[in-house]
Amino acid sequence: MFKFIVFLNVGVAALLLLSHVSSYINPSSFWLASLMALAFPGLLLVNLLFILYWLLIKSRALFLSLFAVLIGFDNLRSQVQLNLFKNEVPAQAQKLRVLSFNARLFDLYNWTGNPKTRDKIFKMVQDETPDILCFQEFYTSSKPGRNNLDTLLHLQKAKNLHVAYTETLRNSDHWGIATFSTYPVVGKGNILFHEETNNLCIFTDLKIGQDTVRVYNVHFQSNRFKREDYEFLGNPNAKPSNDEKITASRNIIRRLQVGAMKRAGQVKVVSDHIKNSPYPVIVCGDFNDPPASFTYNRISKGLKDAFVESGWGLGNTYNGLFSVLRIDYLLHDPRMVGSGYRTIRQNLSDHYAIVSDLWLKPAQAKR
């Protein structure tokens, strides 16, 4: 029995090691690596349970999982944080409160089952009073009760706007991405991806005192699961036949493959653009990938992660079936200091909003 448990431990420790390596593997070359990144939270939990088990029976076998956990410490700290001390704020630094949120079209189709969700989103924004506000899955319309753009401009202090639409219907309904700011917009642009998609990245240059900061607002490719996919994942035994189970599984795997490969191309375009920015950057968005992924590893190089800097507890931002996933991020230039990172755990979307105070050191020069 002891040998069998050790054998199992070796297996899950090896899988955890593979999940660490997956962040360096381009899914375009080997897309299965992206599945290991998704499995990281579960693999981490199982390995921690093995460590606890070996501690209880006082066995040196605990080093199997301990080694696998520690060698991927960066992945661990990107998922779980225990910041006990506040970061020191630089003297005369400018405070920027940044909020990022995938608003899921402001609950246009009543996914939450609560007709007051839209108003609650507006109340959340009012309560947080951000200086920079980034929305993904933004929706607005000229129809009464759906003009989210005008409502946001009216009720909160960030009046300067950069919005880009990926789809417009009837010349009145618009879907896209939006950045609001209390600071003047002195430059802006859209980063288009090389395939047909509703995903997009925009960049907005803000004049903050004597400095200019470039804010990237990005929504990378989703896996585009359909309702039947979620139903199968939530209750795979509900399918009446093995053939339907096989078909459902193949559809899900196919969507994961396509999503991972598209994100690999998209993140290259955005990360290259960030590297060439003449200004310090802030990157907000829904990456649709966890911290152990190629997407996160590629775009976060040279930047700080606000959650890692000052977050607490589990960093999950997805409010759906796999609720342990962290797929929404707030990254920033190392010449800024982050403090007070929070995940706003309100049932307003299938994502949670994230917010952090960033302190911009004075007299920032161009790169």
Side-chain angles (χ1 to χ4, degrees):
M1 184 65 178
F2 177 82
K3 290 183 178 179
F4 177 70
I5 296 175
V6 170
F7 176 77
L8 288 178
N9 195 169
V10 169
V12 296
L15 290 174
L16 183 60
L17 289 172
L18 286 174
S19 73
H20 298 323
V21 176
S22 66
S23 63
Y24 300 96
I25 301 175
N26 190 325
S28 297
S29 302
F30 184 64
W31 74 270
L32 288 174
S34 62
L35 296 184
M36 299 307 302
L38 285 172
F40 172 77
L43 292 170
L44 175 64
L45 176 61
V46 174
N47 276 276
L48 291 175
L49 291 175
F50 266 113
I51 292 172
L52 178 60
Y53 172 76
W54 296 126
L55 279 173
L56 291 175
I57 67 171
K58 299 179 180 179
S59 171
R60 287 181 294 180
L62 71 90
F63 289 103
L64 291 170
S65 284
L66 185 62
F67 172 76
V69 171
L70 293 179
I71 202 170
F73 184 69
D74 283 344
N75 282 340
L76 174 61
R77 65 198 294 262
S78 295
Q79 187 71 41
V80 181
Q81 269 299 323
L82 298 173
N83 286 296
L84 300 176
F85 304 101
K86 292 184 178 180
N87 291 328
E88 183 177 350
V89 176
Q92 299 180 332
Q94 174 72 52
K95 178 182 175 182
L96 314 173
R97 174 159 291 184
V98 184
L99 188 151
S100 181
F101 183 39
N102 181 323
R104 206 187 190 190
L105 310 180
F106 296 85
D107 205 33
L108 175 63
Y109 302 110
N110 196 30
W111 287 293
T112 65
N114 185 345
K116 296 183 179 180
T117 295
R118 177 175 177 267
D119 291 336
K120 288 184 176 182
I121 292 174
F122 297 145
K123 179 65 164 55
M124 180 265 292
V125 171
Q126 283 183 302
D127 290 344
E128 296 298 333
T129 63
D131 300 295
I132 300 169
L133 174 60
C134 294
F135 282 112
Q136 304 86 46
E137 292 196 30
F138 183 81
Y139 166 79
T140 191
S141 172
S142 58
K143 297 175 182 177
R146 291 188 179 181
N147 198 325
N148 299 315
L149 184 59
D150 282 357
T151 301
L152 284 163
L153 289 172
H154 174 73
L155 62 81
Q156 47 97 33
K157 65 179 184 178
K159 308 291 187 184
N160 300 303
L161 174 68
H162 178 194
V163 61
Y165 300 126
T166 58
E167 185 174 0
T168 295
L169 295 178
R170 298 175 294 274
N171 294 319
S172 61
D173 295 79
H174 310 279
W175 289 259
I177 196 166
T179 298
F180 298 79
S181 170
T182 58
Y183 302 99
V185 175
V186 294
K188 60 184 177 180
N190 302 341
I191 302 174
L192 302 177
F193 301 132
H194 300 313
E195 70 278 344
E196 185 177 346
T197 178
N198 287 326
N199 297 87
L200 179 69
C201 178
I202 62 176
F203 65 91
T204 314
D205 297 337
L206 306 177
K207 190 66 176 177
I208 303 175
Q210 299 301 311
D211 301 300
T212 302
V213 172
R214 176 165 289 180
V215 178
Y216 288 87
N217 185 356
V218 59
H219 185 199
F220 287 131
Q221 185 73 35
S222 70
N223 293 312
R224 294 192 173 276
F225 286 156
K226 295 184 177 180
R227 178 178 296 179
E228 55 266 30
D229 298 325
Y230 286 111
E231 289 175 353
F232 174 73
L233 289 168
N235 187 10
N237 294 322
K239 288 288 182 181
S241 71
N242 288 331
D243 287 344
E244 288 185 337
K245 288 182 180 180
I246 292 172
T247 300
S249 299
R250 285 177 176 172
N251 288 339
I252 290 168
I253 291 172
R254 175 61 180 166
R255 296 189 205 286
L256 289 171
Q257 177 185 7
V258 171
M261 294 177 69
K262 284 189 175 183
R263 286 191 295 275
Q266 293 169 357
V267 74
K268 181 183 185 304
V269 174
V270 176
S271 60
D272 287 347
H273 199 283
I274 290 172
K275 288 178 184 177
N276 292 317
S277 170
Y279 311 117
V281 305
I282 298 171
V283 182
C284 296
D286 172 9
F287 294 1
N288 273 307
D289 253 335
S293 66
F294 176 82
T295 301
Y296 175 83
N297 183 50
R298 179 67 183 262
I299 200 171
S300 64
K301 283 183 178 178
L303 301 176
K304 287 187 175 183
D305 185 324
F307 169 73
V308 174
E309 263 197 302
S310 62
W312 177 267
L314 186 64
N316 62 308
T317 64
Y318 186 59
N319 182 26
L321 185 60
F322 302 104
S323 58
V324 297
L325 291 177
R326 179 181 179 221
I327 59 176
D328 302 88
Y329 301 88
L330 202 168
L331 312 175
H332 61 86
D333 190 280
R335 286 169 286 178
M336 301 176 194
V337 175
S339 67
Y341 176 97
R342 288 178 291 115
T343 302
I344 302 172
R345 302 187 188 280
Q346 298 181 30
N347 185 31
L348 306 175
S349 165
D350 55 349
H351 294 250
Y352 294 125
I354 54 176
V355 62
S356 182
D357 293 331
L358 304 182
W359 298 85
L360 175 64
K361 298 175 185 179
Q364 292 287 354
K366 292 186 176 181
R367 290 181 186 270

